Coordinates of all heavy atoms in Angstrom, one line a residue:
M1 N 8.9 12.5 -39.0 CA 9.8 11.3 -39.4 C 11.3 11.8 -39.5 O 12.2 10.9 -39.1 CB 9.2 10.8 -40.7 CG 9.9 9.6 -41.2 SD 9.6 8.3 -40.0 CE 10.4 6.9 -40.8
K2 N 11.5 12.9 -40.2 CA 12.9 13.4 -40.2 C 13.6 13.5 -38.8 O 14.7 13.2 -38.8 CB 12.9 14.6 -41.1 CG 12.8 14.6 -42.5 CD 13.1 15.9 -43.1 CE 12.9 15.8 -44.6 NZ 13.0 17.2 -45.3
F3 N 12.9 14.1 -37.9 CA 13.4 14.2 -36.6 C 13.8 12.9 -36.0 O 14.9 12.8 -35.5 CB 12.3 14.9 -35.7 CG 12.8 15.0 -34.2 CD1 13.8 16.0 -33.9 CD2 12.3 14.2 -33.2 CE1 14.3 16.1 -32.5 CE2 12.8 14.3 -32.0 CZ 13.7 15.2 -31.7
L4 N 12.9 11.9 -36.2 CA 13.3 10.7 -35.6 C 14.5 10.1 -36.3 O 15.4 9.5 -35.5 CB 12.1 9.6 -36.0 CG 12.3 8.2 -35.5 CD1 12.5 8.1 -34.0 CD2 11.2 7.2 -35.9
L5 N 14.7 10.1 -37.6 CA 15.9 9.7 -38.2 C 17.2 10.4 -37.8 O 18.2 9.9 -37.6 CB 15.8 9.8 -39.8 CG 14.8 8.8 -40.4 CD1 14.6 9.1 -41.9 CD2 15.2 7.4 -40.1
Y6 N 17.0 11.7 -37.7 CA 18.2 12.6 -37.1 C 18.6 12.2 -35.9 O 19.7 12.1 -35.5 CB 17.9 14.1 -37.3 CG 17.8 14.6 -38.7 CD1 16.8 15.6 -39.0 CD2 18.5 14.2 -39.8 CE1 16.7 16.2 -40.2 CE2 18.4 14.6 -41.1 CZ 17.5 15.7 -41.2 OH 17.4 16.1 -42.5
Y7 N 17.6 12.0 -35.0 CA 17.8 11.5 -33.5 C 18.5 10.2 -33.6 O 19.5 10.1 -32.9 CB 16.5 11.5 -32.7 CG 16.7 10.8 -31.4 CD1 17.3 11.5 -30.3 CD2 16.4 9.4 -31.2 CE1 17.5 10.8 -29.2 CE2 16.6 8.7 -30.0 CZ 17.2 9.5 -29.0 OH 17.4 9.0 -27.9
I8 N 18.0 9.2 -34.4 CA 18.6 7.9 -34.3 C 20.2 8.0 -34.9 O 21.0 7.4 -34.3 CB 17.8 7.0 -35.1 CG1 16.6 6.6 -34.4 CG2 18.5 5.7 -35.4 CD1 15.6 5.7 -35.1
I9 N 20.4 8.8 -35.9 CA 21.7 8.9 -36.4 C 22.6 9.7 -35.3 O 23.7 9.1 -35.0 CB 21.8 9.9 -37.7 CG1 21.1 8.9 -38.8 CG2 23.1 10.3 -38.0 CD1 20.9 9.8 -40.1
A10 N 22.1 10.6 -34.7 CA 22.9 11.4 -33.6 C 23.2 10.5 -32.5 O 24.4 10.5 -32.0 CB 22.1 12.6 -33.2
I11 N 22.3 9.7 -31.9 CA 22.4 9.0 -30.7 C 23.4 7.8 -31.1 O 24.2 7.5 -30.1 CB 21.1 8.4 -30.1 CG1 21.3 7.9 -28.7 CG2 20.5 7.4 -31.0 CD1 21.5 8.9 -27.6
N12 N 23.4 7.3 -32.2 CA 24.3 6.3 -32.5 C 25.6 6.7 -32.8 O 26.7 6.0 -32.4 CB 23.6 5.4 -33.8 CG 22.7 4.4 -33.3 OD1 22.9 3.5 -32.7 ND2 21.4 4.8 -33.7
L13 N 25.8 7.9 -33.4 CA 27.2 8.5 -33.5 C 27.8 8.8 -32.2 O 29.0 8.5 -31.9 CB 27.2 9.7 -34.3 CG 26.9 9.5 -35.9 CD1 26.7 10.9 -36.6 CD2 28.1 8.7 -36.4
Y14 N 26.9 9.3 -31.3 CA 27.3 9.5 -29.9 C 27.7 8.3 -29.2 O 28.7 8.2 -28.5 CB 26.3 10.2 -29.1 CG 26.5 10.6 -27.7 CD1 27.5 11.5 -27.4 CD2 25.9 10.0 -26.6 CE1 28.0 11.7 -26.1 CE2 26.2 10.2 -25.3 CZ 27.2 11.2 -25.1 OH 27.6 11.5 -23.8
G15 N 27.0 7.1 -29.5 CA 27.3 5.8 -28.9 C 28.7 5.3 -29.3 O 29.5 4.8 -28.5
I16 N 29.0 5.5 -30.6 CA 30.4 5.2 -31.2 C 31.5 6.0 -30.4 O 32.5 5.5 -29.9 CB 30.4 5.3 -32.6 CG1 29.5 4.3 -33.4 CG2 31.8 5.3 -33.2 CD1 29.3 4.6 -34.8
F17 N 31.2 7.3 -30.3 CA 32.1 8.2 -29.6 C 32.4 7.8 -28.2 O 33.5 7.8 -27.7 CB 31.7 9.7 -29.7 CG 32.5 10.6 -28.8 CD1 33.8 10.9 -29.3 CD2 31.9 11.0 -27.6 CE1 34.5 11.8 -28.5 CE2 32.7 11.9 -26.9 CZ 33.9 12.3 -27.3
V18 N 31.3 7.5 -27.5 CA 31.4 7.1 -26.0 C 32.3 5.9 -25.9 O 33.1 5.7 -25.0 CB 30.0 7.0 -25.4 CG1 30.1 6.1 -24.0 CG2 29.4 8.2 -25.3
M19 N 32.1 4.9 -26.8 CA 32.9 3.6 -26.8 C 34.3 3.9 -27.1 O 35.2 3.3 -26.4 CB 32.3 2.5 -27.7 CG 31.0 2.1 -27.3 SD 30.9 1.4 -25.6 CE 31.6 -0.2 -25.9
Y20 N 34.6 4.8 -28.1 CA 35.9 5.2 -28.4 C 36.5 5.9 -27.2 O 37.7 5.6 -26.8 CB 35.9 6.1 -29.6 CG 37.3 6.8 -29.9 CD1 38.3 6.0 -30.5 CD2 37.5 8.1 -29.5 CE1 39.7 6.5 -30.8 CE2 38.9 8.6 -29.8 CZ 39.8 7.9 -30.4 OH 41.0 8.4 -30.7
S21 N 35.9 6.9 -26.6 CA 36.5 7.6 -25.5 C 36.6 6.7 -24.3 O 37.8 6.8 -23.7 CB 35.3 8.6 -25.2 OG 35.8 9.4 -24.0
D22 N 35.8 5.7 -24.0 CA 36.0 4.9 -22.9 C 37.2 4.0 -23.2 O 37.9 3.7 -22.2 CB 34.7 4.1 -22.7 CG 34.8 3.4 -21.3 OD1 35.0 4.1 -20.2 OD2 34.5 2.2 -21.2
K23 N 37.3 3.5 -24.4 CA 38.5 2.7 -24.6 C 39.7 3.4 -24.5 O 40.7 2.9 -23.8 CB 38.4 2.2 -26.1 CG 39.6 1.4 -26.7 CD 39.7 0.0 -25.9 CE 40.8 -0.7 -26.6 NZ 40.7 -2.1 -26.3
K24 N 39.9 4.7 -24.8 CA 41.1 5.5 -24.7 C 41.3 5.8 -23.2 O 42.5 5.7 -22.7 CB 41.0 6.8 -25.4 CG 41.0 6.7 -26.9 CD 42.4 6.0 -27.4 CE 42.3 5.6 -28.8 NZ 43.5 4.8 -29.3
K25 N 40.3 6.0 -22.5 CA 40.4 6.3 -21.0 C 40.9 4.9 -20.3 O 41.7 5.1 -19.4 CB 39.1 6.6 -20.4 CG 38.6 8.1 -20.8 CD 37.3 8.3 -20.3 CE 36.7 9.7 -20.8 NZ 35.3 9.9 -20.3
S26 N 40.5 3.9 -20.7 CA 40.9 2.7 -20.1 C 42.4 2.3 -20.4 O 43.1 1.8 -19.6 CB 40.1 1.4 -20.6 OG 40.3 1.0 -21.9
Q27 N 42.8 2.7 -21.7 CA 44.2 2.6 -22.0 C 45.2 3.5 -21.1 O 46.3 3.1 -20.8 CB 44.4 2.7 -23.5 CG 43.9 1.7 -24.3 CD 43.9 2.0 -25.8 OE1 44.0 3.2 -26.2 NE2 43.7 1.0 -26.6
K28 N 44.6 4.6 -20.8 CA 45.5 5.6 -20.1 C 45.3 5.4 -18.6 O 45.9 6.2 -17.8 CB 45.1 7.0 -20.5 CG 45.4 7.2 -22.0 CD 45.1 8.6 -22.4 CE 45.4 8.9 -23.8 NZ 45.0 10.2 -24.3
G29 N 44.4 4.6 -18.2 CA 44.1 4.3 -16.7 C 43.4 5.5 -16.0 O 43.5 5.8 -14.8
R30 N 42.6 6.2 -16.8 CA 41.7 7.3 -16.3 C 40.4 6.9 -16.0 O 39.9 5.7 -16.1 CB 41.7 8.4 -17.4 CG 43.2 9.0 -17.6 CD 43.1 10.0 -18.9 NE 42.1 11.1 -18.6 CZ 41.4 11.6 -19.6 NH1 41.8 11.5 -20.9 NH2 40.6 12.7 -19.3
W31 N 39.6 7.8 -15.5 CA 38.3 7.6 -15.0 C 37.5 7.1 -16.2 O 37.5 7.7 -17.3 CB 37.6 8.9 -14.4 CG 36.3 8.8 -13.9 CD1 35.8 8.2 -12.8 CD2 35.2 9.2 -14.7 NE1 34.4 8.3 -12.8 CE2 34.0 8.8 -14.0 CE3 34.9 9.8 -16.0 CZ2 32.7 9.0 -14.4 CZ3 33.6 9.9 -16.4 CH2 32.6 9.6 -15.6
R32 N 36.6 6.3 -16.0 CA 35.9 5.6 -17.1 C 34.4 5.9 -17.1 O 33.8 6.4 -16.1 CB 35.9 4.0 -16.9 CG 37.3 3.5 -16.8 CD 38.0 3.2 -18.1 NE 37.3 2.4 -18.9 CZ 37.2 1.0 -18.9 NH1 38.0 0.4 -18.0 NH2 36.5 0.3 -19.7
T33 N 33.8 5.7 -18.2 CA 32.4 6.0 -18.4 C 31.6 4.9 -17.7 O 32.0 3.7 -18.0 CB 32.0 6.0 -19.9 OG1 32.7 7.0 -20.6 CG2 30.5 6.3 -20.2
P34 N 30.7 5.2 -16.9 CA 29.9 4.2 -16.1 C 29.2 3.2 -17.1 O 28.7 3.7 -18.1 CB 29.0 4.8 -15.3 CG 29.5 6.2 -15.1 CD 30.3 6.5 -16.4
E35 N 29.1 2.0 -16.7 CA 28.5 0.9 -17.6 C 26.9 1.3 -17.7 O 26.3 1.2 -18.7 CB 28.5 -0.5 -17.1 CG 30.0 -0.9 -17.2 CD 30.2 -2.4 -16.7 OE1 29.2 -3.0 -16.2 OE2 31.3 -3.0 -16.9
S36 N 26.4 1.9 -16.7 CA 25.0 2.3 -16.7 C 24.7 3.3 -17.7 O 23.7 3.5 -18.3 CB 24.6 2.8 -15.3 OG 25.3 3.9 -14.9
T37 N 25.8 4.4 -17.9 CA 25.6 5.2 -18.9 C 25.6 4.7 -20.4 O 24.9 5.1 -21.2 CB 26.7 6.3 -18.8 OG1 26.8 6.9 -17.6 CG2 26.7 7.4 -19.9
I38 N 26.5 3.7 -20.6 CA 26.7 3.1 -21.9 C 25.3 2.3 -22.1 O 24.7 2.4 -23.3 CB 27.8 2.0 -21.9 CG1 29.1 2.9 -21.7 CG2 27.7 1.3 -23.2 CD1 30.4 2.0 -21.6
F39 N 24.8 1.5 -21.1 CA 23.4 1.0 -21.4 C 22.3 1.9 -21.6 O 21.4 1.7 -22.3 CB 23.2 0.0 -20.2 CG 23.7 -1.4 -20.4 CD1 24.9 -1.7 -19.9 CD2 23.1 -2.3 -21.4 CE1 25.5 -3.0 -20.0 CE2 23.7 -3.5 -21.5 CZ 24.9 -3.9 -20.9
T40 N 22.3 3.1 -20.9 CA 21.3 4.1 -21.1 C 21.4 4.6 -22.6 O 20.3 4.8 -23.1 CB 21.5 5.3 -20.1 OG1 21.4 4.8 -18.8 CG2 20.4 6.4 -20.2
I41 N 22.4 4.9 -23.1 CA 22.6 5.3 -24.4 C 22.0 4.1 -25.3 O 21.3 4.5 -26.3 CB 24.1 5.6 -24.8 CG1 24.6 6.8 -24.0 CG2 24.2 5.8 -26.3 CD1 26.0 7.1 -24.1
A42 N 22.3 3.0 -25.1 CA 21.8 1.8 -26.0 C 20.3 1.7 -25.9 O 19.7 1.5 -26.9 CB 22.5 0.5 -25.4
I43 N 19.8 1.9 -24.8 CA 18.3 1.8 -24.6 C 17.6 3.0 -25.1 O 16.5 2.9 -25.6 CB 18.0 1.7 -23.0 CG1 18.3 0.3 -22.5 CG2 16.4 1.9 -22.8 CD1 18.3 0.0 -21.1
A44 N 18.3 4.1 -25.3 CA 17.8 5.3 -26.0 C 17.9 5.3 -27.5 O 18.1 6.2 -28.2 CB 18.4 6.6 -25.5
F45 N 17.9 4.0 -28.1 CA 18.0 3.8 -29.5 C 19.4 4.0 -30.0 O 19.6 4.3 -31.2 CB 17.1 4.6 -30.3 CG 15.7 3.9 -30.3 CD1 14.7 4.1 -29.3 CD2 15.3 3.0 -31.3 CE1 13.6 3.4 -29.3 CE2 14.1 2.3 -31.2 CZ 13.2 2.5 -30.2
G46 N 20.4 3.8 -29.2 CA 21.7 3.9 -29.6 C 22.6 2.6 -29.5 O 23.8 2.6 -29.5
A47 N 21.9 1.6 -29.4 CA 22.5 0.2 -29.4 C 23.3 -0.1 -30.6 O 24.4 -0.7 -30.4 CB 21.4 -0.9 -29.2
L48 N 22.9 0.4 -31.8 CA 23.7 0.1 -33.0 C 25.1 0.7 -32.8 O 26.1 0.2 -33.2 CB 23.0 0.6 -34.2 CG 23.7 0.3 -35.5 CD1 24.0 -1.1 -35.7 CD2 22.9 0.9 -36.8
G49 N 25.0 1.9 -32.4 CA 26.3 2.7 -32.2 C 27.2 2.1 -31.1 O 28.5 2.0 -31.4
I50 N 26.7 1.7 -30.0 CA 27.4 1.0 -29.0 C 28.0 -0.3 -29.5 O 29.1 -0.6 -29.3 CB 26.6 0.8 -27.7 CG1 26.1 2.1 -27.2 CG2 27.2 -0.1 -26.8 CD1 27.2 3.0 -26.5
F51 N 27.2 -1.0 -30.3 CA 27.6 -2.2 -30.9 C 28.7 -2.1 -31.8 O 29.7 -2.8 -31.8 CB 26.4 -3.1 -31.5 CG 26.7 -4.4 -32.0 CD1 26.9 -5.4 -31.1 CD2 27.0 -4.7 -33.4 CE1 27.3 -6.7 -31.6 CE2 27.2 -5.8 -33.8 CZ 27.3 -7.0 -33.0
M52 N 28.6 -1.1 -32.7 CA 29.7 -0.9 -33.6 C 30.9 -0.5 -32.9 O 31.9 -0.8 -33.4 CB 29.1 0.2 -34.6 CG 28.1 -0.3 -35.6 SD 27.4 1.0 -36.6 CE 28.9 1.6 -37.4
G53 N 30.8 0.5 -31.9 CA 31.9 0.8 -31.2 C 32.7 -0.4 -30.5 O 33.9 -0.4 -30.4
M54 N 31.8 -1.4 -29.9 CA 32.4 -2.5 -29.3 C 33.3 -3.2 -30.4 O 34.4 -3.7 -30.1 CB 31.3 -3.5 -28.8 CG 30.6 -3.0 -27.5 SD 29.1 -4.1 -27.2 CE 30.0 -5.7 -27.0
R55 N 32.7 -3.4 -31.6 CA 33.5 -4.2 -32.6 C 34.6 -3.4 -33.1 O 35.8 -3.9 -33.3 CB 32.5 -4.5 -33.7 CG 31.4 -5.4 -33.3 CD 32.0 -6.7 -32.9 NE 30.9 -7.6 -32.3 CZ 31.0 -8.4 -31.3 NH1 32.1 -8.5 -30.7 NH2 29.9 -9.1 -30.8
L56 N 34.3 -2.1 -33.5 CA 35.5 -1.2 -34.1 C 36.8 -1.1 -33.2 O 37.8 -1.1 -33.6 CB 35.0 0.1 -34.4 CG 34.1 0.3 -35.6 CD1 33.4 1.7 -35.7 CD2 34.9 0.0 -36.9
F57 N 36.4 -0.9 -31.9 CA 37.5 -0.6 -30.9 C 37.9 -1.8 -30.0 O 38.8 -1.7 -29.1 CB 37.2 0.7 -30.1 CG 36.7 1.7 -31.0 CD1 35.4 2.2 -30.8 CD2 37.5 2.3 -31.9 CE1 35.0 3.4 -31.6 CE2 37.1 3.4 -32.7 CZ 35.8 3.9 -32.5
R58 N 37.2 -2.9 -30.2 CA 37.3 -4.1 -29.5 C 37.3 -3.7 -27.9 O 38.2 -4.0 -27.2 CB 38.7 -4.7 -29.8 CG 38.7 -5.4 -31.2 CD 39.9 -6.2 -31.4 NE 40.4 -5.8 -32.8 CZ 41.6 -5.5 -33.0 NH1 42.5 -5.5 -32.3 NH2 41.8 -5.1 -34.3
H59 N 36.2 -3.1 -27.5 CA 36.0 -2.7 -26.2 C 34.8 -3.3 -25.6 O 33.7 -3.4 -26.2 CB 35.8 -1.2 -26.3 CG 35.9 -0.5 -25.0 ND1 36.8 -0.7 -24.0 CD2 35.0 0.4 -24.3 CE1 36.6 -0.1 -22.9 NE2 35.4 0.6 -23.1
K60 N 34.9 -3.8 -24.4 CA 33.8 -4.5 -23.7 C 33.5 -5.8 -24.3 O 32.3 -6.3 -24.0 CB 32.6 -3.6 -23.5 CG 32.9 -2.3 -22.8 CD 32.9 -2.4 -21.3 CE 32.9 -1.1 -20.6 NZ 33.2 -1.2 -19.2
T61 N 34.2 -6.3 -25.1 CA 33.9 -7.7 -25.8 C 34.1 -8.9 -25.0 O 33.8 -10.0 -25.4 CB 34.7 -7.8 -27.1 OG1 36.2 -7.7 -26.9 CG2 34.3 -6.6 -28.1
K62 N 34.7 -8.7 -23.8 CA 34.9 -9.9 -22.9 C 33.8 -9.9 -21.7 O 33.9 -10.7 -20.9 CB 36.2 -9.9 -22.3 CG 37.3 -10.1 -23.4 CD 38.7 -10.1 -22.8 CE 39.7 -10.4 -23.9 NZ 41.0 -10.5 -23.4
H63 N 33.0 -8.8 -21.7 CA 31.9 -8.8 -20.6 C 30.7 -9.3 -21.1 O 30.2 -8.8 -22.1 CB 31.8 -7.2 -20.2 CG 33.1 -6.6 -19.7 ND1 33.3 -6.4 -18.4 CD2 34.0 -6.0 -20.3 CE1 34.4 -5.8 -18.2 NE2 35.0 -5.5 -19.5
K64 N 30.2 -10.3 -20.5 CA 29.1 -11.0 -20.9 C 27.8 -10.1 -21.0 O 27.0 -10.2 -22.0 CB 28.7 -12.2 -20.1 CG 29.5 -13.4 -20.4 CD 28.9 -14.6 -19.7 CE 29.8 -15.9 -20.1 NZ 29.2 -17.2 -19.6
K65 N 27.6 -9.2 -20.0 CA 26.4 -8.4 -20.1 C 26.4 -7.5 -21.3 O 25.4 -7.0 -21.8 CB 26.2 -7.7 -18.8 CG 27.2 -6.6 -18.4 CD 26.8 -5.9 -17.2 CE 27.9 -5.3 -16.4 NZ 27.4 -4.6 -15.2
F66 N 27.7 -7.1 -21.8 CA 27.6 -6.4 -23.1 C 27.5 -7.2 -24.3 O 26.8 -6.9 -25.3 CB 29.0 -5.6 -23.1 CG 29.0 -4.3 -22.3 CD1 29.4 -4.4 -21.0 CD2 28.6 -3.2 -22.7 CE1 29.5 -3.3 -20.2 CE2 28.5 -2.0 -21.9 CZ 28.9 -2.1 -20.7
V67 N 28.3 -8.4 -24.3 CA 28.2 -9.2 -25.5 C 26.8 -9.7 -25.8 O 26.4 -10.0 -26.9 CB 29.3 -10.5 -25.3 CG1 29.0 -11.6 -26.4 CG2 30.6 -9.9 -25.2
I68 N 26.0 -10.1 -24.7 CA 24.6 -10.5 -24.9 C 23.6 -9.3 -24.8 O 22.8 -9.3 -25.6 CB 24.4 -11.5 -23.7 CG1 25.3 -12.8 -24.0 CG2 22.9 -11.9 -23.7 CD1 25.3 -13.7 -22.7
G69 N 23.8 -8.5 -23.9 CA 22.9 -7.4 -23.7 C 22.7 -6.4 -24.8 O 21.6 -6.2 -25.2
I70 N 23.8 -5.9 -25.3 CA 23.7 -4.9 -26.4 C 23.0 -5.4 -27.6 O 22.2 -4.9 -28.2 CB 25.1 -4.3 -26.6 CG1 25.6 -3.5 -25.5 CG2 25.1 -3.4 -27.9 CD1 24.8 -2.4 -24.9
P71 N 23.5 -6.6 -28.2 CA 22.9 -7.2 -29.3 C 21.2 -7.4 -29.0 O 20.5 -7.2 -30.0 CB 23.4 -8.6 -29.6 CG 24.8 -8.3 -29.0 CD 24.7 -7.4 -27.8
L72 N 21.0 -7.8 -27.9 CA 19.5 -8.0 -27.5 C 18.7 -6.7 -27.6 O 17.6 -6.7 -28.2 CB 19.3 -8.7 -26.1 CG 19.6 -10.2 -26.0 CD1 19.5 -10.7 -24.5 CD2 18.7 -10.9 -26.9
I73 N 19.4 -5.7 -27.0 CA 18.7 -4.3 -27.1 C 18.6 -3.9 -28.6 O 17.6 -3.4 -28.9 CB 19.5 -3.4 -26.2 CG1 19.4 -3.7 -24.7 CG2 18.9 -1.9 -26.5 CD1 20.5 -2.9 -23.9
L74 N 19.6 -4.2 -29.3 CA 19.6 -3.8 -30.7 C 18.5 -4.5 -31.4 O 17.7 -3.9 -32.2 CB 20.9 -4.2 -31.4 CG 21.1 -3.9 -32.8 CD1 20.9 -2.3 -33.2 CD2 22.5 -4.2 -33.2
I75 N 18.3 -5.8 -31.2 CA 17.2 -6.6 -31.8 C 15.8 -6.1 -31.6 O 15.1 -5.9 -32.4 CB 17.4 -8.1 -31.5 CG1 18.5 -8.7 -32.2 CG2 16.0 -8.8 -31.8 CD1 18.9 -10.1 -31.6
V76 N 15.7 -5.6 -30.3 CA 14.3 -5.0 -29.8 C 14.2 -3.7 -30.6 O 13.1 -3.4 -31.0 CB 14.3 -4.9 -28.3 CG1 13.1 -4.1 -27.9 CG2 14.3 -6.3 -27.5
E77 N 15.2 -3.0 -30.6 CA 15.1 -1.6 -31.1 C 14.7 -1.8 -32.7 O 13.9 -0.9 -33.2 CB 16.4 -0.8 -31.0 CG 16.5 -0.4 -29.6 CD 17.7 0.5 -29.3 OE1 18.6 0.5 -30.1 OE2 17.9 1.0 -28.1
L78 N 15.4 -2.7 -33.3 CA 15.2 -2.9 -34.8 C 13.7 -3.3 -35.0 O 13.1 -2.9 -35.9 CB 16.2 -3.9 -35.3 CG 17.6 -3.4 -35.6 CD1 18.6 -4.5 -35.9 CD2 17.7 -2.3 -36.5
F79 N 13.2 -4.2 -34.1 CA 11.8 -4.6 -34.2 C 10.9 -3.4 -34.1 O 10.0 -3.3 -34.9 CB 11.6 -5.6 -33.2 CG 10.2 -6.1 -33.2 CD1 9.6 -7.0 -34.2 CD2 9.2 -5.7 -32.2 CE1 8.3 -7.4 -34.1 CE2 7.9 -6.0 -32.2 CZ 7.5 -7.0 -33.1
I80 N 11.1 -2.7 -33.1 CA 10.3 -1.4 -32.8 C 10.3 -0.5 -34.0 O 9.3 0.0 -34.4 CB 10.7 -0.7 -31.6 CG1 10.4 -1.6 -30.3 CG2 10.0 0.6 -31.2 CD1 11.0 -1.1 -29.0
F81 N 11.6 -0.2 -34.5 CA 11.7 0.8 -35.5 C 11.1 0.3 -36.8 O 10.2 1.1 -37.4 CB 13.3 0.9 -35.8 CG 13.5 1.9 -37.0 CD1 13.5 3.3 -36.7 CD2 13.9 1.6 -38.2 CE1 13.6 4.2 -37.7 CE2 14.1 2.3 -39.2 CZ 14.0 3.7 -39.0
F82 N 11.2 -0.9 -37.2 CA 10.6 -1.5 -38.5 C 9.2 -1.6 -38.3 O 8.4 -1.4 -39.2 CB 11.4 -2.7 -38.9 CG 12.6 -2.4 -39.5 CD1 13.8 -2.8 -39.0 CD2 12.7 -1.7 -40.7 CE1 15.0 -2.5 -39.5 CE2 14.0 -1.3 -41.3 CZ 15.1 -1.8 -40.7
T83 N 8.7 -2.1 -37.1 CA 7.2 -2.0 -36.8 C 6.6 -0.6 -37.1 O 5.6 -0.5 -37.6 CB 6.9 -2.5 -35.4 OG1 7.5 -3.9 -35.3 CG2 5.3 -2.7 -35.1
Y84 N 7.3 0.3 -36.5 CA 6.9 1.9 -36.6 C 6.8 2.2 -38.1 O 5.9 2.8 -38.6 CB 7.8 2.7 -35.8 CG 7.4 4.2 -35.9 CD1 6.3 4.7 -35.3 CD2 8.2 5.0 -36.7 CE1 6.0 6.0 -35.4 CE2 7.9 6.3 -36.9 CZ 6.9 6.8 -36.2 OH 6.5 8.3 -36.3
I85 N 7.8 1.9 -38.8 CA 7.9 2.2 -40.3 C 6.9 1.5 -41.1 O 6.3 2.1 -41.9 CB 9.4 1.9 -40.8 CG1 10.5 2.6 -40.3 CG2 9.4 2.1 -42.3 CD1 10.4 4.2 -40.5
Y86 N 6.7 0.2 -40.7 CA 5.7 -0.4 -41.4 C 4.3 0.1 -41.2 O 3.5 0.2 -42.2 CB 5.6 -2.0 -40.9 CG 4.6 -2.9 -41.6 CD1 4.8 -3.2 -42.9 CD2 3.4 -3.2 -40.9 CE1 3.9 -4.2 -43.5 CE2 2.5 -4.1 -41.5 CZ 2.7 -4.4 -42.9 OH 1.7 -5.2 -43.4
K87 N 4.0 0.5 -40.0 CA 2.8 1.1 -39.8 C 2.4 2.5 -40.5 O 1.3 2.9 -40.8 CB 2.5 1.3 -38.2 CG 2.2 0.1 -37.5 CD 1.9 0.3 -36.0 CE 1.8 -1.1 -35.4 NZ 1.4 -1.0 -34.0
L88 N 3.6 3.2 -40.7 CA 3.4 4.4 -41.5 C 3.2 4.3 -43.0 O 2.6 5.0 -43.7 CB 4.8 5.3 -41.3 CG 5.1 5.8 -40.0 CD1 6.4 6.6 -40.1 CD2 3.9 6.8 -39.7
L89 N 3.5 3.1 -43.5 CA 3.4 2.8 -44.9 C 2.0 2.4 -45.3 O 1.1 2.1 -44.8 CB 4.4 1.7 -45.4 CG 5.7 2.1 -45.3 CD1 6.7 1.0 -45.7 CD2 6.1 3.4 -46.1

C-alpha cells in the first residue's frame, strides 16, 4: 500500500513538473513536450498533477482535448483508487 501511495505522489509531482517545464519551453519558443507524453503521464495515475499544472501555470487551458480529457481521466482514476481503497477496508 505504501508503494502505491509513493508512486501516486511521485507521478503527480512529475506531472506538475512536466507542465511547468512545457510552459517555460513554450514561452522561449523551444522544443515542446509531446501531447502524447502528457496524456501518458495522466493515464499512469498522474492526471491530478497534470490538472494542477494546467491550473497553476495556465498551460493547455485553451485546448479542448486537455480541458475535457484530463478531468475525465482524473475522475476515472479517482474512482479506481477509491474502489481499491474501499476493497482493502
Side-chain angles (χ1 to χ4, degrees):
M1 184 66 177
K2 281 185 184 181
F3 175 76
L4 177 63
L5 291 175
Y6 292 146
Y7 170 77
I8 289 173
I9 290 168
I11 194 75
N12 282 288
L13 288 173
Y14 181 62
I16 292 171
F17 170 75
V18 166
M19 293 304 282
Y20 171 78
S21 173
D22 194 49
K23 174 70 173 193
K24 291 301 173 190
K25 289 175 185 177
S26 73
Q27 290 172 337
K28 295 178 182 178
R30 295 177 51 207
W31 178 83
R32 307 278 302 279
T33 304
E35 291 180 353
S36 62
T37 300
I38 295 171
F39 273 101
T40 300
I41 294 166
I43 291 170
F45 279 85
L48 180 60
I50 297 293
F51 183 76
M52 289 173 60
M54 284 174 60
R55 298 293 173 217
L56 285 171
F57 311 119
R58 290 185 223 132
H59 189 51
K60 301 282 189 190
T61 56
K62 294 182 181 178
H63 300 263
K64 280 192 177 186
K65 67 174 152 181
F66 281 89
V67 172
I68 295 169
I70 297 300
L72 284 176
I73 294 169
L74 178 59
I75 290 167
V76 170
E77 288 178 355
L78 288 172
F79 177 77
I80 291 168
F81 180 76
F82 285 112
T83 300
Y84 176 76
I85 295 297
Y86 180 74
K87 286 184 180 184
L88 289 178
L89 300 178

